[in-house]
Amino acid sequence: MAVYLDSSDSYHNHLVSQFKKRKVISDGDNGSLVCSLTCLPTLQASDYFMEPSLSQLITRELTDPGYCARVQNFTVGRYGYGNVRFFGETDVRWLDLDQIVKFRRHEIVVYEDETVKPSVGKGLNKAAEVTLILQKDSSIEKLKLSAENQGAEFISFDTIRKEWKFSVQHFSRFGLSDDEEDDVMMDDADVDVREREQPVNRFSFTFSFASFAPRLDPVRMKEMRMMMFSPEEEEDDAELDNLNGTFSHHRPLHGSKTVQRSSPLTIRKTPLALLEYNPGSFASSDNGSILLSQQNKGVPLTITKVQGFKLEIKETPVTKSYSKNIVDAGLLMGRSFGIAWGPNNLLIHCGSVGDSNKSPHLSSTISLEKVATDNVVRDENNKIREELIGLCFDSPLSYHKEINFETNEFIVDSYKLKARKLVFNRLDLSHVCRQYIGIIEKQLEVPGLSSSARVMLMHQVFVWELINVLFSSKESSIEADVAALPLIRRAEFSVLLQESVCHRVQDEISSLNDSKDLQQLFLLLTGRQIDAAVELSASRGDVRLACLLTQAGGSTVNRMDIDRQLDLWKTNSLDFGFIENDRIRLFELLAGNIHGALGEMDIDWKRFLGLLMWYHLQPASDLTSIFQTYQHLLEDGRAPYPVPVYIDEKLVMDKISWSPGNRFDLAYYLMILHSNEGRDVTNIHMLKTMFSAFASTHDPLDHHMIWHQRAVLEAVGTFSCDDLHVLDMGFVSQLLNLGHCHWALYVVLHMSHRDDYPYLQASVIREILFQYCETWSAQENQRQFIVDLGVPSAWLHEALAVYHAYNGNSFKALEHYLGCGFWQKAHSTFITSVAHSLFMSGKQSEILRLATSMEDHKSEIENWDLGAGIFITFYSLKSSLKEDDSMTELVSLQDKNDACRKFFSRLKGSLAFWEGRLPIDARC
């Protein structure tokens, strides 16, 4: 964590005040040593951190005087750059870490000023382990060689986190040289956003304002700066003085601090991607433009290191308050900059989003944040597991595709689409649920899962079991006795509920000592573990109680007898001081008075529902009456709320806020759905809440399993709703983020059709094809899968045509324009970008093939005679001139001359028409 010396930090102030009031004195051979607050190390930079933190050092120094002189494994780091861990004990007293330890791109410098560097083994000039975060991939061999050349020992290189670890015996400067960095940039030019465990992953780019204003008067800029802001460091002044020269966004890794680049600016025709944007690189334009590149475009990620100017935090007459003082990003990036979403769920903005940290930021900070939609496929070390991707997404969807479905064909712009809908009867529901449970059980076998992930997977198993119990047909389990079907369903639900609360009962019993046997008996009864309760009671010699326990939840006659006995004791003023309170609670429970038995005891909602069913209601009560009774008690405030599993199991209490009635567990909604069956009661708001991500998981972006549960429930007719598109699109977003475009389109085809949005599915399909063209077109299996789904091939060709045209591949763009029937666009591309290149390459047959492929549609093409028609006429005329006069229509030389004259006249007109749109080499 970062270290902030902020007076608003109450905990830090408390420690400091304690330290100031008390001096720690340790007696030794040389007398007394008095250590005050001034002996602590200092670290002011907000993007740096140290471990132990400053607060921890203060606490340890208070409890263990002299601790700062012998800190074990002291660590200093910079977020996004790396860290250094010093081996053994380190004396950190009076260290100015801001001046001693500096992290830069692929580099660490300790004691940059050689005049103040202590001898080897003293201060921080000692053996340590360094971790540098590289911005690009590199081979292990190159990193080993680089470490050896600098006298360091290579340890490892994590290709996922881009972490290069090596050890050193002393310090000066370690890292990659300029040449080695060039090698790293050539090894992998893919843009890499390093992800963390938070739901939103973040890194920042800092730009120098001076380098973004190359056309401003430097003297005037400096005067304005002095008027508006406080004086800056000499280094910042030097940057402003360089406005007349050529600007560099990169601070050199070695040598002097400023490098003047004298190479001329080059003209670049293709648009620059956002991550390498530099207005100074546009020699032919006054204003640079920012364009978002397609994913995996191979654009090198350049994180600049030039120090942006800082604004003084002070109260102004306008605001009368403190602020982050972030300068308008449009001033820095150009007027085309805007806060927007980019490819792969990237959010581009200035400042911070959802950040409670009120510390000031650099005024020139532009941030990229990536939404983490793939938490479900990460292990406890936050690493993506390929087997989890297959088990969470591919396997369930593959099985979903195998289930029976019906298609509904509809027409969009003369193209046919086949919407799909899952259909099967309730006799097959048990088999379907078991298949999904089998997939989840395979996920549980994956090593490295976190404990919270395992709890969530077990809850998914419980939900599928509950769907099977509540909605599957029981007619096959009994021959003729229809009256017994509700009892069979009740018995299955009872067993399922016992299994689901068993771990809670065992955990609470394990926290009790052996002498509290009555409390253990009560807890066993809350989980309906009657056999274990009877055995425990008999083993303690309480045979009479054991006999009563054998009849727990049995006939109502026994309950009434126990209840009558309790009333007699109360009526006769029995001194209950001779009976243990826990024993009275057992009697109350056996009598069916669950509220009297529970008293002030907190119990989860599943066990309360079980107590209601097992001990309070009639043994023959059906599930509908049980659920409705619980619902009435819940409305009266006499039952615990059915909170979602992640709150019930206390998995993420510190991250999720919950209020009564906000949302409940998916299992509770299934019970309501069962109790409302046959009454034609459809609550759209309840269905939307039921099938939201928060009803089954703490990850608001995870819809991978609840989508299947909705599809199965709707298929067997438990409800019907055409307004759950948020769930569909949430699942589509997850699949697209993982590169599963074919499955995303499969999900879109299962979206409910709405009369008020008749083209919704078609619009979403086309958007996916266009935005993720690079992904699905690169994998033949995805492309074939999309074709098999019935997506019109013309839509695929159109997306590919736009993609190749954007990337400057006119030949492929033309082929796909022809494939999608965009004859006018194909003709324009053929004339302006393709024909002249093929002609000069001698590929005459290819020109003729392309031209004749458009000839049948020349009525749809504007200026056909001045375009491709010219080529067809040329090859026809050329062929005619080569043939014998008797085989041609040109019977005289005059006729041949007239034909040639007409052709050249058309050619001249064609050149005049197309000249402004043709490249220079095509006009020759």
Side-chain angles (χ1 to χ4, degrees), residues 211-216 265 277-290 330-336:
S211 63
F212 273 84
R215 291 168 297 281
L216 298 178
L265 300 175
Y277 173 74
N278 180 0
S281 65
F282 287 92
S284 60
S285 175
D286 291 337
N287 295 317
S289 61
I290 302 177
L331 182 62
L332 299 173
M333 300 290 289
R335 61 184 179 183
S336 61

PDB file of all heavy atoms in Angstrom, residues 211-216 265 277-290 330-336:
ATOM      1  N   SER A 211       5.453  19.432 -23.905  1.00  0.00           N
ATOM      2  CA  SER A 211       5.553  18.650 -25.129  1.00  0.00           C
ATOM      3  C   SER A 211       4.244  18.588 -25.882  1.00  0.00           C
ATOM      4  O   SER A 211       4.211  18.201 -27.042  1.00  0.00           O
ATOM      5  CB  SER A 211       6.021  17.230 -24.795  1.00  0.00           C
ATOM      6  OG  SER A 211       5.075  16.604 -23.979  1.00  0.00           O
ATOM      7  N   PHE A 212       3.156  18.998 -25.252  1.00  0.00           N
ATOM      8  CA  PHE A 212       1.862  18.997 -25.928  1.00  0.00           C
ATOM      9  C   PHE A 212       1.517  20.388 -26.460  1.00  0.00           C
ATOM     10  O   PHE A 212       0.426  20.627 -26.914  1.00  0.00           O
ATOM     11  CB  PHE A 212       0.753  18.526 -24.987  1.00  0.00           C
ATOM     12  CG  PHE A 212       0.607  17.056 -24.982  1.00  0.00           C
ATOM     13  CD1 PHE A 212       1.410  16.277 -24.183  1.00  0.00           C
ATOM     14  CD2 PHE A 212      -0.305  16.451 -25.815  1.00  0.00           C
ATOM     15  CE1 PHE A 212       1.281  14.917 -24.184  1.00  0.00           C
ATOM     16  CE2 PHE A 212      -0.443  15.083 -25.825  1.00  0.00           C
ATOM     17  CZ  PHE A 212       0.359  14.314 -25.004  1.00  0.00           C
ATOM     18  N   ALA A 213       2.418  21.306 -26.355  1.00  0.00           N
ATOM     19  CA  ALA A 213       2.159  22.646 -26.861  1.00  0.00           C
ATOM     20  C   ALA A 213       3.320  23.130 -27.715  1.00  0.00           C
ATOM     21  O   ALA A 213       3.928  24.155 -27.445  1.00  0.00           O
ATOM     22  CB  ALA A 213       1.928  23.603 -25.696  1.00  0.00           C
ATOM     23  N   PRO A 214       3.683  22.394 -28.780  1.00  0.00           N
ATOM     24  CA  PRO A 214       4.879  22.737 -29.553  1.00  0.00           C
ATOM     25  C   PRO A 214       4.738  24.024 -30.341  1.00  0.00           C
ATOM     26  O   PRO A 214       5.722  24.559 -30.817  1.00  0.00           O
ATOM     27  CB  PRO A 214       5.032  21.533 -30.488  1.00  0.00           C
ATOM     28  CG  PRO A 214       3.652  20.975 -30.607  1.00  0.00           C
ATOM     29  CD  PRO A 214       3.006  21.218 -29.301  1.00  0.00           C
ATOM     30  N   ARG A 215       3.509  24.531 -30.501  1.00  0.00           N
ATOM     31  CA  ARG A 215       3.352  25.733 -31.317  1.00  0.00           C
ATOM     32  C   ARG A 215       3.128  26.980 -30.465  1.00  0.00           C
ATOM     33  O   ARG A 215       2.801  28.039 -30.967  1.00  0.00           O
ATOM     34  CB  ARG A 215       2.188  25.541 -32.286  1.00  0.00           C
ATOM     35  CG  ARG A 215       2.502  24.507 -33.358  1.00  0.00           C
ATOM     36  CD  ARG A 215       1.267  24.115 -34.127  1.00  0.00           C
ATOM     37  NE  ARG A 215       0.283  23.473 -33.279  1.00  0.00           N
ATOM     38  CZ  ARG A 215       0.355  22.189 -32.907  1.00  0.00           C
ATOM     39  NH1 ARG A 215       1.333  21.446 -33.342  1.00  0.00           N
ATOM     40  NH2 ARG A 215      -0.574  21.665 -32.125  1.00  0.00           N
ATOM     41  N   LEU A 216       3.265  26.868 -29.143  1.00  0.00           N
ATOM     42  CA  LEU A 216       3.062  28.017 -28.268  1.00  0.00           C
ATOM     43  C   LEU A 216       4.393  28.717 -27.996  1.00  0.00           C
ATOM     44  O   LEU A 216       5.458  28.099 -28.007  1.00  0.00           O
ATOM     45  CB  LEU A 216       2.417  27.574 -26.957  1.00  0.00           C
ATOM     46  CG  LEU A 216       1.026  26.942 -27.085  1.00  0.00           C
ATOM     47  CD1 LEU A 216       0.539  26.520 -25.699  1.00  0.00           C
ATOM     48  CD2 LEU A 216       0.034  27.893 -27.712  1.00  0.00           C
ATOM     49  N   LEU A 265      10.887  15.057 -38.199  1.00  0.00           N
ATOM     50  CA  LEU A 265       9.610  14.398 -38.019  1.00  0.00           C
ATOM     51  C   LEU A 265       9.193  13.721 -39.313  1.00  0.00           C
ATOM     52  O   LEU A 265       9.348  14.275 -40.397  1.00  0.00           O
ATOM     53  CB  LEU A 265       8.536  15.403 -37.600  1.00  0.00           C
ATOM     54  CG  LEU A 265       8.818  16.143 -36.295  1.00  0.00           C
ATOM     55  CD1 LEU A 265       7.736  17.194 -36.064  1.00  0.00           C
ATOM     56  CD2 LEU A 265       8.867  15.172 -35.149  1.00  0.00           C
ATOM     57  N   TYR A 277      -0.119   7.975 -29.120  1.00  0.00           N
ATOM     58  CA  TYR A 277      -0.469   9.296 -29.611  1.00  0.00           C
ATOM     59  C   TYR A 277       0.600  10.318 -29.261  1.00  0.00           C
ATOM     60  O   TYR A 277       1.079  10.396 -28.156  1.00  0.00           O
ATOM     61  CB  TYR A 277      -1.802   9.729 -29.003  1.00  0.00           C
ATOM     62  CG  TYR A 277      -2.168  11.154 -29.308  1.00  0.00           C
ATOM     63  CD1 TYR A 277      -2.603  11.518 -30.564  1.00  0.00           C
ATOM     64  CD2 TYR A 277      -2.062  12.127 -28.319  1.00  0.00           C
ATOM     65  CE1 TYR A 277      -2.939  12.822 -30.822  1.00  0.00           C
ATOM     66  CE2 TYR A 277      -2.400  13.432 -28.578  1.00  0.00           C
ATOM     67  CZ  TYR A 277      -2.828  13.780 -29.835  1.00  0.00           C
ATOM     68  OH  TYR A 277      -3.162  15.065 -30.100  1.00  0.00           O
ATOM     69  N   ASN A 278       0.979  11.135 -30.254  1.00  0.00           N
ATOM     70  CA  ASN A 278       1.990  12.172 -30.071  1.00  0.00           C
ATOM     71  C   ASN A 278       1.733  13.256 -31.102  1.00  0.00           C
ATOM     72  O   ASN A 278       1.998  13.056 -32.282  1.00  0.00           O
ATOM     73  CB  ASN A 278       3.395  11.587 -30.236  1.00  0.00           C
ATOM     74  CG  ASN A 278       4.472  12.656 -30.037  1.00  0.00           C
ATOM     75  OD1 ASN A 278       4.170  13.811 -29.781  1.00  0.00           O
ATOM     76  ND2 ASN A 278       5.717  12.251 -30.164  1.00  0.00           N
ATOM     77  N   PRO A 279       1.162  14.382 -30.714  1.00  0.00           N
ATOM     78  CA  PRO A 279       0.859  15.421 -31.698  1.00  0.00           C
ATOM     79  C   PRO A 279       2.085  15.889 -32.451  1.00  0.00           C
ATOM     80  O   PRO A 279       1.997  16.297 -33.594  1.00  0.00           O
ATOM     81  CB  PRO A 279       0.266  16.545 -30.849  1.00  0.00           C
ATOM     82  CG  PRO A 279      -0.219  15.870 -29.618  1.00  0.00           C
ATOM     83  CD  PRO A 279       0.723  14.745 -29.383  1.00  0.00           C
ATOM     84  N   GLY A 280       3.246  15.798 -31.818  1.00  0.00           N
ATOM     85  CA  GLY A 280       4.453  16.257 -32.483  1.00  0.00           C
ATOM     86  C   GLY A 280       4.857  15.413 -33.669  1.00  0.00           C
ATOM     87  O   GLY A 280       5.703  15.793 -34.446  1.00  0.00           O
ATOM     88  N   SER A 281       4.280  14.234 -33.826  1.00  0.00           N
ATOM     89  CA  SER A 281       4.658  13.354 -34.923  1.00  0.00           C
ATOM     90  C   SER A 281       3.895  13.652 -36.199  1.00  0.00           C
ATOM     91  O   SER A 281       4.130  13.043 -37.216  1.00  0.00           O
ATOM     92  CB  SER A 281       4.427  11.896 -34.521  1.00  0.00           C
ATOM     93  OG  SER A 281       3.051  11.665 -34.332  1.00  0.00           O
ATOM     94  N   PHE A 282       2.950  14.594 -36.163  1.00  0.00           N
ATOM     95  CA  PHE A 282       2.176  14.943 -37.353  1.00  0.00           C
ATOM     96  C   PHE A 282       2.812  16.172 -37.992  1.00  0.00           C
ATOM     97  O   PHE A 282       2.602  17.285 -37.545  1.00  0.00           O
ATOM     98  CB  PHE A 282       0.718  15.232 -36.999  1.00  0.00           C
ATOM     99  CG  PHE A 282      -0.052  14.007 -36.647  1.00  0.00           C
ATOM    100  CD1 PHE A 282      -0.144  13.586 -35.337  1.00  0.00           C
ATOM    101  CD2 PHE A 282      -0.668  13.264 -37.634  1.00  0.00           C
ATOM    102  CE1 PHE A 282      -0.849  12.455 -35.015  1.00  0.00           C
ATOM    103  CE2 PHE A 282      -1.395  12.138 -37.312  1.00  0.00           C
ATOM    104  CZ  PHE A 282      -1.474  11.730 -36.014  1.00  0.00           C
ATOM    105  N   ALA A 283       3.573  15.951 -39.028  1.00  0.00           N
ATOM    106  CA  ALA A 283       4.222  17.076 -39.684  1.00  0.00           C
ATOM    107  C   ALA A 283       3.299  17.785 -40.654  1.00  0.00           C
ATOM    108  O   ALA A 283       3.486  18.937 -40.975  1.00  0.00           O
ATOM    109  CB  ALA A 283       5.473  16.593 -40.428  1.00  0.00           C
ATOM    110  N   SER A 284       2.292  17.076 -41.120  1.00  0.00           N
ATOM    111  CA  SER A 284       1.425  17.635 -42.149  1.00  0.00           C
ATOM    112  C   SER A 284       0.121  18.159 -41.605  1.00  0.00           C
ATOM    113  O   SER A 284      -0.746  18.542 -42.360  1.00  0.00           O
ATOM    114  CB  SER A 284       1.132  16.555 -43.203  1.00  0.00           C
ATOM    115  OG  SER A 284       0.495  15.451 -42.594  1.00  0.00           O
ATOM    116  N   SER A 285      -0.049  18.175 -40.330  1.00  0.00           N
ATOM    117  CA  SER A 285      -1.330  18.589 -39.748  1.00  0.00           C
ATOM    118  C   SER A 285      -1.084  19.429 -38.525  1.00  0.00           C
ATOM    119  O   SER A 285      -0.201  19.181 -37.740  1.00  0.00           O
ATOM    120  CB  SER A 285      -2.178  17.361 -39.378  1.00  0.00           C
ATOM    121  OG  SER A 285      -3.342  17.764 -38.725  1.00  0.00           O
ATOM    122  N   ASP A 286      -1.892  20.469 -38.391  1.00  0.00           N
ATOM    123  CA  ASP A 286      -1.770  21.322 -37.218  1.00  0.00           C
ATOM    124  C   ASP A 286      -2.282  20.652 -35.963  1.00  0.00           C
ATOM    125  O   ASP A 286      -1.789  20.876 -34.881  1.00  0.00           O
ATOM    126  CB  ASP A 286      -2.526  22.634 -37.445  1.00  0.00           C
ATOM    127  CG  ASP A 286      -1.844  23.486 -38.507  1.00  0.00           C
ATOM    128  OD1 ASP A 286      -0.626  23.284 -38.724  1.00  0.00           O
ATOM    129  OD2 ASP A 286      -2.520  24.321 -39.099  1.00  0.00           O
ATOM    130  N   ASN A 287      -3.293  19.857 -36.115  1.00  0.00           N
ATOM    131  CA  ASN A 287      -3.905  19.215 -34.955  1.00  0.00           C
ATOM    132  C   ASN A 287      -3.851  17.717 -35.117  1.00  0.00           C
ATOM    133  O   ASN A 287      -4.308  17.187 -36.121  1.00  0.00           O
ATOM    134  CB  ASN A 287      -5.371  19.651 -34.789  1.00  0.00           C
ATOM    135  CG  ASN A 287      -5.481  21.126 -34.469  1.00  0.00           C
ATOM    136  OD1 ASN A 287      -4.721  21.619 -33.665  1.00  0.00           O
ATOM    137  ND2 ASN A 287      -6.408  21.816 -35.110  1.00  0.00           N
ATOM    138  N   GLY A 288      -3.282  17.030 -34.112  1.00  0.00           N
ATOM    139  CA  GLY A 288      -3.272  15.569 -34.143  1.00  0.00           C
ATOM    140  C   GLY A 288      -4.629  15.009 -33.807  1.00  0.00           C
ATOM    141  O   GLY A 288      -5.466  15.678 -33.234  1.00  0.00           O
ATOM    142  N   SER A 289      -4.852  13.801 -34.192  1.00  0.00           N
ATOM    143  CA  SER A 289      -6.121  13.145 -33.875  1.00  0.00           C
ATOM    144  C   SER A 289      -5.857  11.873 -33.126  1.00  0.00           C
ATOM    145  O   SER A 289      -4.814  11.254 -33.279  1.00  0.00           O
ATOM    146  CB  SER A 289      -6.896  12.842 -35.165  1.00  0.00           C
ATOM    147  OG  SER A 289      -6.147  11.965 -35.975  1.00  0.00           O
ATOM    148  N   ILE A 290      -6.808  11.474 -32.313  1.00  0.00           N
ATOM    149  CA  ILE A 290      -6.704  10.246 -31.531  1.00  0.00           C
ATOM    150  C   ILE A 290      -7.712   9.260 -32.072  1.00  0.00           C
ATOM    151  O   ILE A 290      -8.885   9.571 -32.214  1.00  0.00           O
ATOM    152  CB  ILE A 290      -6.992  10.509 -30.044  1.00  0.00           C
ATOM    153  CG1 ILE A 290      -6.018  11.548 -29.497  1.00  0.00           C
ATOM    154  CG2 ILE A 290      -6.899   9.233 -29.234  1.00  0.00           C
ATOM    155  CD1 ILE A 290      -6.284  11.899 -28.066  1.00  0.00           C
ATOM    156  N   GLY A 330      -8.584  17.738 -22.683  1.00  0.00           N
ATOM    157  CA  GLY A 330      -8.601  18.196 -24.065  1.00  0.00           C
ATOM    158  C   GLY A 330      -7.472  19.166 -24.349  1.00  0.00           C
ATOM    159  O   GLY A 330      -6.971  19.247 -25.471  1.00  0.00           O
ATOM    160  N   LEU A 331      -7.046  19.939 -23.341  1.00  0.00           N
ATOM    161  CA  LEU A 331      -5.935  20.860 -23.522  1.00  0.00           C
ATOM    162  C   LEU A 331      -4.641  20.110 -23.755  1.00  0.00           C
ATOM    163  O   LEU A 331      -3.760  20.561 -24.481  1.00  0.00           O
ATOM    164  CB  LEU A 331      -5.805  21.766 -22.288  1.00  0.00           C
ATOM    165  CG  LEU A 331      -4.710  22.836 -22.305  1.00  0.00           C
ATOM    166  CD1 LEU A 331      -4.948  23.824 -23.426  1.00  0.00           C
ATOM    167  CD2 LEU A 331      -4.654  23.543 -20.971  1.00  0.00           C
ATOM    168  N   LEU A 332      -4.523  18.943 -23.138  1.00  0.00           N
ATOM    169  CA  LEU A 332      -3.299  18.149 -23.249  1.00  0.00           C
ATOM    170  C   LEU A 332      -3.319  17.233 -24.458  1.00  0.00           C
ATOM    171  O   LEU A 332      -2.316  17.065 -25.136  1.00  0.00           O
ATOM    172  CB  LEU A 332      -3.104  17.327 -21.974  1.00  0.00           C
ATOM    173  CG  LEU A 332      -2.957  18.118 -20.684  1.00  0.00           C
ATOM    174  CD1 LEU A 332      -2.943  17.179 -19.507  1.00  0.00           C
ATOM    175  CD2 LEU A 332      -1.692  18.940 -20.717  1.00  0.00           C
ATOM    176  N   MET A 333      -4.469  16.599 -24.708  1.00  0.00           N
ATOM    177  CA  MET A 333      -4.542  15.552 -25.722  1.00  0.00           C
ATOM    178  C   MET A 333      -5.115  16.023 -27.047  1.00  0.00           C
ATOM    179  O   MET A 333      -5.154  15.277 -28.008  1.00  0.00           O
ATOM    180  CB  MET A 333      -5.406  14.393 -25.199  1.00  0.00           C
ATOM    181  CG  MET A 333      -4.880  13.748 -23.938  1.00  0.00           C
ATOM    182  SD  MET A 333      -3.388  12.816 -24.228  1.00  0.00           S
ATOM    183  CE  MET A 333      -4.056  11.441 -25.162  1.00  0.00           C
ATOM    184  N   GLY A 334      -5.596  17.240 -27.105  1.00  0.00           N
ATOM    185  CA  GLY A 334      -6.240  17.697 -28.326  1.00  0.00           C
ATOM    186  C   GLY A 334      -7.743  17.646 -28.194  1.00  0.00           C
ATOM    187  O   GLY A 334      -8.292  16.935 -27.363  1.00  0.00           O
ATOM    188  N   ARG A 335      -8.437  18.381 -29.012  1.00  0.00           N
ATOM    189  CA  ARG A 335      -9.885  18.497 -28.848  1.00  0.00           C
ATOM    190  C   ARG A 335     -10.619  17.205 -29.170  1.00  0.00           C
ATOM    191  O   ARG A 335     -11.798  17.066 -28.850  1.00  0.00           O
ATOM    192  CB  ARG A 335     -10.416  19.607 -29.738  1.00  0.00           C
ATOM    193  CG  ARG A 335     -10.183  19.390 -31.229  1.00  0.00           C
ATOM    194  CD  ARG A 335     -10.651  20.588 -32.017  1.00  0.00           C
ATOM    195  NE  ARG A 335     -10.413  20.412 -33.452  1.00  0.00           N
ATOM    196  CZ  ARG A 335     -10.686  21.332 -34.359  1.00  0.00           C
ATOM    197  NH1 ARG A 335     -11.185  22.499 -33.964  1.00  0.00           N
ATOM    198  NH2 ARG A 335     -10.441  21.110 -35.635  1.00  0.00           N
ATOM    199  N   SER A 336      -9.945  16.244 -29.822  1.00  0.00           N
ATOM    200  CA  SER A 336     -10.606  14.980 -30.134  1.00  0.00           C
ATOM    201  C   SER A 336     -10.636  14.033 -28.943  1.00  0.00           C
ATOM    202  O   SER A 336     -11.276  12.987 -29.003  1.00  0.00           O
ATOM    203  CB  SER A 336      -9.900  14.282 -31.300  1.00  0.00           C
ATOM    204  OG  SER A 336      -8.562  13.997 -30.968  1.00  0.00           O
TER     205      SER A 336
END
